[in-house]
Amino acid sequence: QVQLVESGGGLVQAGGSLRLSCAASGRTFSSYTMGWFRQAPGKEREVVAQISRSGSSTYYADSVKGRFTISRDNAKNTVYLQMNDLKHEDTAVYYCAALPPGLSKYDYWGQGTQVTVSS
């Protein structure tokens, strides 16, 4: 089992940057594919980015491609989301999640961190 704690959210002007961090407990962090998701008011949760266990493979939603970068440091049990050129439509609660090996569903979720982009 793994526990996830996000940090780094806040209020930023459009065009600004934020870096989210997600710290994981446990010694098996490197065995999990990690993802960042977001949910805006009145909308369904959507995937933002994903990163493979080694960090060699990444995926981005079209809406953030070229602006956001996901990375991980397995030695620090942490996954990051660098968000640049933020837009008002990026406003949401951002969650990190862990996908256990061999499964197709993200099983572990953090509590979320609010990102608000003022236009």
Side-chain angles (χ1 to χ4, degrees):
Q1 197 168 13
V2 61
Q3 292 183 324
L4 304 172
V5 179
E6 302 99 334
S7 61
L11 173 65
V12 64
Q13 288 188 331
S17 298
L18 282 175
R19 187 174 85 151
L20 305 183
S21 299
C22 173
S25 65
R27 295 179 290 178
T28 59
F29 175 74
S30 60
S31 68
Y32 294 91
T33 294
M34 298 298 296
W36 284 98
F37 296 75
R38 68 186 181 187
Q39 187 166 22
K43 294 188 177 181
E44 291 188 357
R45 186 172 59 197
E46 61 176 355
V47 61
V48 175
Q50 299 178 91
I51 188 165
S52 63
R53 289 173 287 177
S54 67
S56 61
S57 178
T58 57
Y59 163 84
Y60 296 95
D62 287 343
S63 58
V64 307
K65 206 171 288 184
R67 300 187 297 122
F68 291 11
T69 302
I70 188 171
S71 62
R72 66 190 297 163
D73 186 335
N74 286 341
K76 295 183 178 179
N77 282 11
T78 303
V79 61
Y80 305 96
L81 186 67
Q82 177 67 43
M83 305 186 294
N84 297 329
D85 189 23
L86 282 160
K87 304 177 180 182
H88 178 68
E89 51 265 39
D90 294 318
T91 296
V93 178
Y94 284 70
Y95 301 89
C96 73
L99 174 64
L103 300 184
S104 58
K105 176 186 170 185
Y106 280 85
D107 248 4
Y108 303 106
W109 294 83
Q111 82 288 350
T113 185
Q114 176 71 47
V115 171
T116 303
V117 184
S118 62
S119 54

